[in-house]
Amino acid sequence: MTLVSTSAPGSLFVIETATWRDLNALRHLEQVCFPQDAWPLWDLIGILTLPNVVRLRAAMDGKMIGFIAGDFRPSENLAWIATVGVLPEYRRQGIGEALVLACEQRLRVPEVRLSVRVSNLEAIHLYERLGYQKAGYWPAYYQDGEDALVMQKPLNAL
Ligand SMILES: CC(C)(COP(=O)(O)OP(=O)(O)OC[C@H]1O[C@@H](n2cnc3c(N)ncnc32)[C@H](O)[C@@H]1OP(=O)(O)O)[C@@H](O)C(=O)NCCC(=O)NCCS
């Protein structure tokens, strides 16, 4: 578990491994954070239980306020950040950044990648700030036809 203080004075949150017990909270967070792309229940169960996934929650006073999942691809020697979200009322306090950095630390691969809607400037700012670079586009990747931007970052994996 990692204890982190937010940029809001006096607020502390923890980053810890998420488990199947977080399913309902994760379902709520996904629906709030991804109104267009929320994952179906079975995908959420999978992300909380399957092997080769780093799953971390940010929690304040026991309540899940953020979540990230990193998906190992050992055969490709890389990992994908599959999802990251922070509840709106807790944003711009450093929680998203802390989740990404904590996930990267646990991904023992030389490179991490992610995809993001080209219109999602908040997330793209966050990733660029953390050293991710644009690596390509997936045209019409999302159901509504929007393109995905693919970003990647080398990690100092052991
Ligand atoms: C993207 C998301 C996870 C960021 O979480 P967060 O806790 O607000 O992020 P942080 O507070 O750690 O922000 C870190 C940096 O990211 C950038 N950033 C975050 N939100 C931003 C915004 N609304 N506008 C511009 N830059 C932003 C800034 O550089 C920020 O640093 P700063 O606050 O010192 O300027 C959050 O906005 C979210 O859950 N969005 C909905 C879900 C989503 O789009 N996830 C990504 C899908 S790929």
Side-chain angles (χ1 to χ4, degrees), residues 39-104:
W39 288 2
L41 182 60
W42 282 111
D43 285 353
L44 298 179
I45 293 171
I47 209 81
L48 288 174
T49 55
L50 289 173
N52 286 335
V53 175
V54 169
R55 52 188 75 92
L56 298 172
R57 65 177 218 148
M60 199 178 276
D61 300 327
K63 174 187 169 185
M64 182 196 279
I65 56 173
F67 179 81
I68 190 167
D71 189 5
F72 281 109
R73 305 282 172 85
S75 62
E76 299 167 65
N77 214 15
L78 55 80
W80 287 83
I81 291 182
T83 185
V84 55
V86 174
L87 290 178
E89 58 271 37
Y90 296 96
R91 289 180 190 163
R92 297 312 291 268
Q93 299 180 40
I95 297 169
E97 178 173 324
L99 280 167
V100 174
L101 293 175
C103 186
E104 288 175 359

